Amino acid sequence: MLDFEKAGGLIPAVIQDNQTGQVLMLGYMNQEALEKTRQQGLVTFFSRSKNRLWTKGETSGHTLQVVSIAQDCDADSLLIKVTPTGPTCHTGSTSCFGEEETANRARAIQFIAQLEQVIQERKANPVEGSYTNFLFEKGVNKIAQKVGEEAVETVIDAVAGKQDTMKGEAADLLYHLLVLLAATGLELKDVVSVLQERHQKK
């Protein structure tokens, strides 16, 4: 049971992006706000300035959709993981704590993990017409050839200073590398562990 009385009827609720792990904001809830949050699946706070319940996004439309709710060991605060539908901060920033660049990098990394998951799923459960499955059917040699081709094209654009087209070539390179890893029984985490080990030695 949550201890609402310890802080005079309100408990702090830390709001965290479920995908990126970024802390988005801190708000306060009373018992009624928590119940409404659970029932509607949208984060609702108790506004101390307005002295009423306030559902995040009720005017801006930038709601916080609840993924999970957990209480701390003292039962006097909450961690709520959410899926935001827009910027959380009233300034237009993703988070009330800033760190926009960090959040953007986290989203990029999260997408790569999702892409790898899709590739692994295609390997386990082929889908007709899927280019990824076409590559798996051709085998490691063909996939390795594609990695080499995309690497060369990326290098050519880099040397020529063609950033616009280089982004596309680098995306092709990264995708085909993920497919090659899957085809050879490796995962991205295996590569990352090598980088981490090397980094620790520096």
Side-chain angles (χ1 to χ4, degrees), residues 1-5 9-15 27-47 52-56 64 66-72 75-82:
M1 296 293 293
L2 286 165
D3 188 356
F4 284 93
E5 298 307 316
L10 297 176
I11 58 173
V14 178
I15 310 300
Y28 291 87
M29 292 183 171
N30 59 10
Q31 184 80 54
E32 187 180 1
L34 178 57
E35 288 304 316
K36 186 174 181 180
T37 296
R38 285 173 170 160
Q39 291 172 7
Q40 296 188 347
L42 297 175
V43 175
T44 296
F45 300 107
F46 179 82
S47 172
R52 66 171 178 83
L53 295 187
W54 164 63
T55 299
K56 181 71 177 71
L64 299 169
V66 177
V67 176
S68 65
I69 301 176
Q71 66 184 48
D72 74 340
D76 59 4
S77 63
L78 293 171
L79 173 64
I80 303 180
K81 295 185 178 182
V82 303

Side-chain angles (χ1 to χ4, degrees), residues 129-180:
S130 164
Y131 176 67
T132 301
N133 284 128
F134 165 78
L135 289 173
F136 282 135
E137 291 169 3
K138 290 297 182 180
V140 171
N141 288 348
K142 176 63 176 179
I143 301 170
Q145 178 185 340
K146 289 295 297 181
V147 171
E149 291 173 358
E150 301 301 344
V152 170
E153 290 173 0
T154 301
V155 170
I156 291 173
D157 281 351
V159 173
K162 298 180 179 178
Q163 285 191 338
D164 287 342
T165 52
M166 179 185 168
K167 288 186 292 185
E169 299 299 346
D172 291 341
L173 173 59
L174 185 53
Y175 160 76
H176 285 95
L177 179 58
L178 289 173
V179 176
L180 182 61

Side-chain angles (χ1 to χ4, degrees), residues 103-151:
N104 289 337
R105 288 196 182 99
R107 289 190 193 91
I109 293 170
Q110 181 67 26
F111 177 76
I112 294 300
Q114 292 173 349
L115 178 59
E116 181 183 39
Q117 187 175 2
V118 170
I119 290 171
Q120 294 286 357
E121 176 65 23
R122 289 289 188 273
K123 181 182 179 183
N125 302 292
V127 174
E128 186 177 355
S130 164
Y131 176 67
T132 301
N133 284 128
F134 165 78
L135 289 173
F136 282 135
E137 291 169 3
K138 290 297 182 180
V140 171
N141 288 348
K142 176 63 176 179
I143 301 170
Q145 178 185 340
K146 289 295 297 181
V147 171
E149 291 173 358
E150 301 301 344

